[in-house]
Amino acid sequence: MGKIRGELEDLGFRHVDAIGYQQVHDTVEAKRKAGEAFLARVEGIFRDKLKEAGITAKVESRIKRLYSIHKKLQRQHIAVEQVYDLFAMRVITQSVQDCYAVLGIIHNLWRPVPGRIKDFIAMPRPNFYQSLHTSVITEEGTPFEVQIRTEEMHKMAEEGIAAHWKYKDGPVSAQDEQRLAWLRQVVEWQRDVSDPTEFLSTLKIDLYPEEVYTFTPKGKVVVLPRDSTPIDFAYSVHTEVGHSCVGAKVNGRMIPLRYKLHSGDIVEILTQPGHKPSRDWLSVAKSSRARNKIKHWLNLHQRERAIEIGRKLIEKEARKYRVALKEIKDEELQKIAADYGLGRPDDLMAGIGYGKYSARQVLARLAPAGVGPVTEEDAEKSGGIASVVRRVFGGDNNNAIRVKGHGDLLVYRARCCNPIRGETVVGYVTRGKGVAVHAANCPNVVNLMYEPERKIDVEWAREEGAPSAYPVKLTVFCDDRFGMLKQITAVISDSKTNIRNIEARTSNGEANIDIILDIADLKHLENIINGVRKIPGVHDVQRLQKI
């Protein structure tokens, strides 16, 4: 699957971002011939040293895939020359001892890059990936990466845990049980998380983590994702330890729960019986296990509270409009629940309690069965059901975004991502503010959707009076040269786009230019970004979500 994914990414990259693809392709092709000769020479030197040491090993080399290079350039804002793993060599040995011996040989041959040595053999990743990784630089100044692993580790990395288990003869060993425990944990997450998108995002965190290695007071190693906090540590020990966590000591000193752990920290968790998780912990926790356990607890306990609030809200509205809730039959509530795509009346009450559905809307649906005919004039005087129906469904709605199937809910664009017309959007029912609309790729969406009941479908409206343009902030990473700013503003001007603000910062021959533009829709934005990227000396153009 990994090989197929890599091929599809490179093929898709060529069509989705033709300009970015051509830039990376031309740079890599210019280096390919020399790179292949370099790898052949390095392999020859290395094989001779292995023969001298009496180590039997298989040596492979490769040049990094184009899309993978492109992602690294965008993420780190660097040039291709600074990609340490553009050229890479893999060494497959017969034993773990040989792996460490090979590492010593490589570091004697070439100078290692500080901070680029990773030992995933002694400290395996949560998915049980094992290898030694190191980056070195030759005498000519060319960097390359080396991965060292045994044959068994290589099969595990290439074919996966399940394939390794399938082809192994004999009973399942304790080591195999440990490997399969990660798969069982994945199944457990899937059971706890109802949203498929959220499940995939948590799975990716564990598939590709940057680890921090911490210790319990008794010396047990606890591997956590980068930027993890004591809350993540507590849940990795035990679910109940996480739920009852009230504080933590790191290296003997009291620290706040928001503290980011570092490799080598000795962590002691302080607990208090009866203490319960807080919703704020979701903005602090980084590990999949901690986040899912917190969400599961919140969903379980807050749903009961939401049902209770929903019943009180609808009873209050019913009294206001002379409808007795006890007179409404369960069959009628069941029918309304089904209209909303829900299974039971309790689900409907929970939706009202969360603020996803309006109590007045529910009463409006009940009006034909629960209330006799009422004239509009009488309803105005008495505040009856007909008045409710008109206030809920009547009136003009000139908002840019609307909730599918609902016309009475206040909707606003979230300031953390500022979605624009044409982007895929998702709604989140807030407490007292209406429906916040986020871009589907907004990093806050995963944090907000811990309560699936509060997720709601939204769409871009086409009514007259909707905003014709939205402010969007772009950052251009480019060379600091004469005429660069003039060329960038010319591209923007040619697309008949208004510039609200522009700021530039320069350092060491490089420039970062922040521009706030009035953008009509996603296609308009993509045309401007593609135009600016074509300018010689422009390395990348990124949209900043928050203005």
Side-chain angles (χ1 to χ4, degrees):
M1 287 176 69
K3 290 175 184 174
I4 294 170
R5 183 208 66 189
E7 291 177 20
L8 288 174
E9 283 178 341
D10 279 354
L11 291 168
F13 180 29
R14 178 185 299 179
H15 298 284
V16 173
D17 186 358
I19 297 166
Y21 173 85
Q22 200 60 47
Q23 288 176 344
V24 177
H25 176 269
D26 293 346
T27 307
V28 172
E29 286 304 312
K31 296 174 176 289
R32 185 175 294 279
K33 193 172 181 180
E36 289 173 350
F38 164 77
L39 287 171
R41 182 173 61 82
V42 165
E43 273 191 47
I45 296 170
F46 182 62
R47 288 179 195 276
D48 292 341
K49 286 294 180 181
L50 286 178
K51 194 176 289 185
E52 285 178 23
I55 296 174
T56 304
K58 190 195 307 182
V59 183
E60 305 170 347
S61 59
R62 65 104 177 105
I63 297 177
K64 195 174 180 72
R65 286 185 174 276
L66 296 183
Y67 183 66
S68 199
I69 295 170
H70 175 69
K71 285 198 296 185
K72 180 162 281 192
L73 297 180
Q74 281 199 319
R75 188 169 61 248
Q76 299 181 9
H77 308 305
I78 56 176
V80 174
E81 291 73 16
Q82 295 171 280
V83 178
Y84 286 111
D85 59 345
L86 178 63
F87 306 122
M89 190 165 65
R90 181 177 293 150
V91 185
I92 301 170
T93 69
Q94 295 182 336
S95 67
V96 173
Q97 289 82 355
D98 285 349
C99 288
Y100 289 100
V102 167
L103 183 66
I105 292 170
I106 290 169
H107 286 177
N108 279 328
L109 281 171
W110 302 289
R111 186 171 67 252
V113 179
R116 298 281 304 175
I117 305 167
K118 296 179 182 179
D119 187 347
F120 295 120
I121 293 178
M123 302 279 194
R125 282 180 167 169
N127 60 2
F128 225 79
Y129 171 83
Q130 288 183 290
S131 272
L132 293 175
H133 290 195
T134 184
S135 294
V136 294
I137 298 181
T138 64
E139 295 81 0
E140 297 83 15
T142 306
F144 67 99
E145 185 186 67
V146 184
Q147 297 177 357
I148 311 163
R149 59 180 71 146
T150 65
E151 188 70 42
E152 185 181 3
M153 293 171 190
H154 182 62
K155 285 183 179 178
M156 183 81 68
E158 294 294 306
E159 300 172 9
I161 297 171
H164 167 84
W165 180 49
K166 177 182 177 182
Y167 293 112
K168 184 173 179 180
D169 295 328
V172 177
S173 65
Q175 190 180 34
D176 289 329
E177 280 292 341
Q178 186 180 1
R179 289 166 177 165
L180 292 170
W182 180 74
L183 286 179
R184 294 194 185 97
Q185 189 178 46
V186 171
V187 173
E188 182 184 334
W189 292 339
Q190 195 172 22
R191 187 172 61 247
D192 290 342
V193 179
S194 58
D195 186 356
T197 306
E198 185 182 342
F199 170 70
L200 279 177
S201 67
T202 56
L203 181 61
K204 285 176 184 175
I205 292 170
D206 255 55
L207 283 173
Y208 309 107
E210 293 185 47
E211 292 90 349
V212 172
Y213 298 93
T214 57
F215 298 87
T216 67
K218 293 185 178 180
K220 181 185 175 183
V221 179
V222 177
V223 185
L224 298 168
R226 181 75 56 88
D227 294 335
S228 287
T229 62
I231 293 171
D232 298 291
F233 187 96
Y235 278 101
S236 70
V237 174
H238 194 276
T239 302
E240 287 306 317
V241 173
H243 286 346
S244 57
C245 172
V246 292
K249 288 183 179 180
V250 172
N251 304 324
R253 296 176 56 190
M254 287 293 298
I255 48 90
L257 292 179
R258 290 181 175 272
Y259 174 84
K260 293 180 180 179
L261 299 173
H262 304 91
S263 289
D265 282 346
I266 300 172
V267 185
E268 180 184 353
I269 300 298
L270 308 178
T271 60
Q272 179 180 315
H275 187 265
K276 299 303 178 187
S278 164
R279 187 185 302 109
D280 295 336
W281 286 7
L282 286 172
S283 62
V284 175
K286 297 295 179 185
S287 67
S288 304
R289 177 180 173 82
R291 294 178 63 82
N292 286 323
K293 293 296 181 184
I294 295 167
K295 291 174 187 176
H296 183 69
W297 189 92
L298 289 171
N299 286 338
L300 194 64
H301 290 77
Q302 293 196 359
R303 178 179 166 78
E304 298 171 2
R305 175 65 176 155
I307 291 172
E308 182 185 344
I309 292 172
R311 289 191 180 280
K312 287 182 178 178
L313 286 173
I314 202 165
E315 283 176 1
K316 183 178 178 181
E317 287 294 326
R319 286 196 303 270
K320 188 184 297 183
Y321 299 110
R322 301 177 184 178
V323 179
L325 190 60
K326 60 184 179 181
E327 296 176 6
I328 301 171
K329 298 177 182 178
D330 289 340
E331 292 81 9
E332 293 172 349
L333 287 174
Q334 179 66 50
K335 184 178 181 300
I336 295 172
D339 290 342
Y340 281 108
L342 305 173
R344 298 177 301 163
D346 277 355
D347 297 331
L348 179 64
M349 295 302 163
I352 295 170
Y354 282 122
K356 187 172 183 178
Y357 308 119
S358 162
R360 285 183 292 177
Q361 278 186 330
V362 173
L363 284 175
R365 287 174 178 265
L366 289 169
V371 177
V374 181
T375 65
E376 189 171 312
E377 185 179 349
D378 291 340
E380 282 290 335
K381 295 176 181 177
S382 62
I385 292 294
S387 175
V388 177
V389 175
R390 194 183 65 261
R391 279 188 285 157
V392 171
F393 298 103
D396 295 328
N397 180 7
N398 291 330
N399 290 328
I401 311 168
R402 65 185 178 198
V403 179
K404 290 183 181 179
H406 301 268
D408 71 325
L409 298 182
L410 176 65
V411 180
Y412 66 95
R413 293 162 60 239
R415 295 186 64 183
C416 58
C417 56
N418 287 299
I420 61 176
R421 185 179 295 279
E423 282 190 290
T424 304
V425 287
V426 60
Y428 172 77
V429 180
T430 63
R431 298 184 189 279
K433 292 183 181 179
V435 178
V437 177
H438 296 260
N441 60 356
C442 173
N444 287 331
V445 166
V446 174
N447 291 337
L448 293 172
M449 295 307 172
Y450 71 91
E451 293 174 303
E453 293 88 349
R454 297 176 73 171
K455 184 177 179 180
I456 194 165
D457 291 333
V458 292
E459 61 186 356
W460 292 98
R462 291 292 177 188
E463 288 89 346
E464 293 180 5
S468 58
Y470 308 88
V472 173
K473 187 174 184 179
L474 299 179
T475 296
V476 181
F477 301 91
C478 58
D479 294 337
D480 178 16
R481 65 165 174 79
F482 180 78
M484 176 62 80
L485 190 60
K486 180 182 177 182
Q487 286 183 278
I488 292 172
T489 53
V491 169
I492 296 169
S493 177
D494 289 345
S495 66
K496 296 181 172 55
T497 304
N498 179 51
I499 300 176
R500 290 194 179 193
N501 187 54
I502 188 165
E503 296 178 8
R505 301 176 301 281
T506 60
S507 176
N508 300 322
E510 299 288 322
N512 292 354
I513 303 173
D514 293 334
I515 312 170
I516 299 179
L517 308 171
D518 284 334
I519 299 295
D521 54 32
L522 189 60
K523 189 174 182 181
H524 181 196
L525 177 63
E526 288 172 349
N527 288 339
I528 291 175
I529 291 176
N530 290 336
V532 173
R533 277 184 178 167
K534 291 178 182 177
I535 299 171
V538 171
H539 307 309
D540 191 22
V541 183
Q542 290 188 0
R543 174 186 173 189
L544 298 185
Q545 301 286 14
K546 199 165 185 177
I547 299 177

